[in-house]
């Protein structure tokens, strides 16, 4: 028990916080960055897709889904104000290098540039409402291997437009390689939405 004290403390904290995180005290909204190591960034990969997850009274619902370019396309200026050390290191990669210290046109293409995720999550939380989204309560990042681990818990899923159920044995291969064999881009995006 002494060797696992920190794990036990974390488990108790998770149980204590779960109702609040799942919307027992009011709706919660979370941003999910779907990353892929197909294009390297400091956090492990490029954010190709994103989703907004709502939690209300313990029920989870995917309320928005899109591609990184959808967030980049928003008109108007966007400003990222912190964290200061994150901006000092990464601001020149499109976050403070626009006119008057604003973002450049495509800040979301480099959003996972830093390996320091808690600070990146703060930047996402500030930038998302300026890019057409709502205020969020938290940020998650998921790569194909996280989805693989989740499918190990849930079991295989069937997705519209695919004859093969996705499981922990094939989801990473599908997301990293096989999806790019689909010629029709809208069909591919719809499939990714289904997987999410």
């Amino acid at each position: 028990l002494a060797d696992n004290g920190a794990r036990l403390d974390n488990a108790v904290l998770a149980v204590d916080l779960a109702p609040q995180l799942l919307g027992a005290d009011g709706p919660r909204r979370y941003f999910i960055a779907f990353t892929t190591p197909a294009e390297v960034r400091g956090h492990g990969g490029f954010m190709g897709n994103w989703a907004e997850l709502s939690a209300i009274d313990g029920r989870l619902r995917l309320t928005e889904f899109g591609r990184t370019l959808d967030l980049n396309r928003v008109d108007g200026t966007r400003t990222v104000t912190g964290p200061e050390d994150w901006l000092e290191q990464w601001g020149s990669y499109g976050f403070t290098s626009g006119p008057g210290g604003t973002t450049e046109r495509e800040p979301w293409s480099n959003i996972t540039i830093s390996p320091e995720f808690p600070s990146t999550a703060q930047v996402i939380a500030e930038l998302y409402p300026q890019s057409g989204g709502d205020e969020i309560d938290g940020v998650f990042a998921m790569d194909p291997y996280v989805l693989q681990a989740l499918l190990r818990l849930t079991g295989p899923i069937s997705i519209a437009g695919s004859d093969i159920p996705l499981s922990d044995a094939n989801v990473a291969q599908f997301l990293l390689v096989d999806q790019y064999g689909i010629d029709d881009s809208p069909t591919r995006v719809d499939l990714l939405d289904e997987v999410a």
Side-chain angles (χ1 to χ4, degrees):
L1 285 176
D3 291 344
N4 288 296
R7 288 185 181 152
L8 290 172
D9 291 343
N10 285 339
V12 168
L13 181 61
V15 169
D16 287 344
L17 291 175
Q20 180 184 356
L21 293 172
L22 295 173
D25 300 333
R28 298 293 212 168
R29 188 175 291 116
Y30 301 100
F31 183 94
I32 303 171
F34 290 102
T35 63
T36 175
E39 193 174 310
V40 178
R41 297 290 188 276
H43 182 64
F46 169 75
M47 182 183 83
N49 296 299
W50 58 273
E52 187 180 297
L53 181 75
S54 295
I56 301 172
D57 293 326
R59 296 194 179 274
L60 300 175
R61 210 172 115 238
L62 202 62
T63 51
E64 297 287 338
F65 179 84
R67 302 188 68 175
T68 298
L69 59 93
D70 298 331
L71 297 174
N72 281 332
R73 286 184 179 151
V74 173
D75 289 331
T77 59
R78 294 173 277 202
T79 305
V80 179
T81 61
E84 189 175 318
D85 59 338
W86 193 96
L87 289 173
E88 282 180 24
Q89 182 73 33
W90 310 107
S92 63
Y93 291 91
F95 302 99
T96 58
S97 49
T102 62
T103 68
E104 291 185 17
R105 290 184 48 201
E106 299 183 351
W108 288 96
S109 298
N110 283 328
I111 199 71
T112 53
I113 194 167
S114 169
E116 216 288 305
F117 190 71
S119 295
T120 298
Q122 289 180 38
V123 173
I124 289 172
E126 184 176 10
L127 197 55
Y128 184 57
Q130 298 178 62
S131 301
D134 293 314
E135 297 287 330
I136 54 173
D137 297 296
V139 178
F140 296 91
M142 300 177 83
D143 67 13
Y145 302 106
V146 171
L147 292 173
Q148 178 178 314
L150 285 173
L151 288 178
R152 203 171 294 132
L153 296 172
T154 65
I157 59 170
S158 296
I159 55 172
S162 176
D163 299 334
I164 302 168
L166 292 180
S167 69
D168 64 319
N170 65 2
V171 70
Q173 172 71 24
F174 174 77
L175 293 173
L176 293 171
V177 178
D178 298 346
Q179 67 152 314
Y180 296 105
I182 299 169
D183 292 333
D184 182 11
S185 183
T187 299
R188 187 167 64 87
V189 172
D190 289 345
L191 280 173
L192 294 174
D193 188 5
E194 282 286 319
V195 173

